[in-house]
Amino acid sequence: QVQLVESGGGLVQAGESLRLSCAASGRTFSSVPVGWFRQTPGKEREFLAVISWSGRTTFYADSVKGRFSISRDNAENTVYLQMNSLKPEDTAVYYCAADPSGTWDKSRSYDYWGQGTQVTVSS
């Protein structure tokens, strides 16, 4: 069993930055990939980024490429999402997910999910 907890969300103005954290506990493996998704009410979860636990491989959705950056600290079992130049369209609940079996950009591929952290960007 793996437990994930997101933190770092909040209310910011357009153009500002936030850093989200995803802390893992329980059974973890350094080689397990971790992804970030976001969701607004009534919509499917949107893939944002994924990283191998080794940190050697990353992949980003076009919508956030150049603005968001994913990183990891395996000593702390934590994955980060640095979010720069935030826009009102980025307002959503942000989730981290671990251990995909299949394609990394599909929410159905992930076995474990956190409860989410709210990000609100005002115009």
Side-chain angles (χ1 to χ4, degrees), residues 20-81:
L20 306 183
S21 298
C22 174
S25 62
R27 181 178 60 86
T28 60
F29 301 96
S30 63
S31 61
V32 175
V34 174
W36 283 97
F37 292 76
R38 66 186 179 190
Q39 187 172 29
T40 56
K43 296 182 63 178
E44 185 177 350
R45 288 184 183 182
E46 175 189 6
F47 170 79
L48 301 174
V50 65
I51 188 171
S52 66
W53 267 103
S54 69
R56 292 175 293 187
T57 302
T58 60
F59 181 73
Y60 296 91
D62 289 341
S63 60
V64 302
K65 194 174 299 181
R67 295 192 299 125
F68 292 7
S69 179
I70 190 169
S71 61
R72 58 97 187 112
D73 184 345
N74 283 345
E76 299 292 333
N77 285 329
T78 302
V79 171
Y80 303 97
L81 185 68

Side-chain angles (χ1 to χ4, degrees), residues 67-117:
R67 295 192 299 125
F68 292 7
S69 179
I70 190 169
S71 61
R72 58 97 187 112
D73 184 345
N74 283 345
E76 299 292 333
N77 285 329
T78 302
V79 171
Y80 303 97
L81 185 68
Q82 179 67 42
M83 308 163 62
N84 298 324
S85 301
L86 284 164
K87 307 173 182 179
E89 308 93 271
D90 296 318
T91 296
V93 177
Y94 284 69
Y95 298 89
C96 63
D99 198 13
S101 56
T103 55
W104 289 9
D105 62 342
K106 300 296 183 182
S107 61
R108 59 177 172 81
S109 298
Y110 289 80
D111 292 330
Y112 302 101
W113 293 84
Q115 294 300 304
T117 184

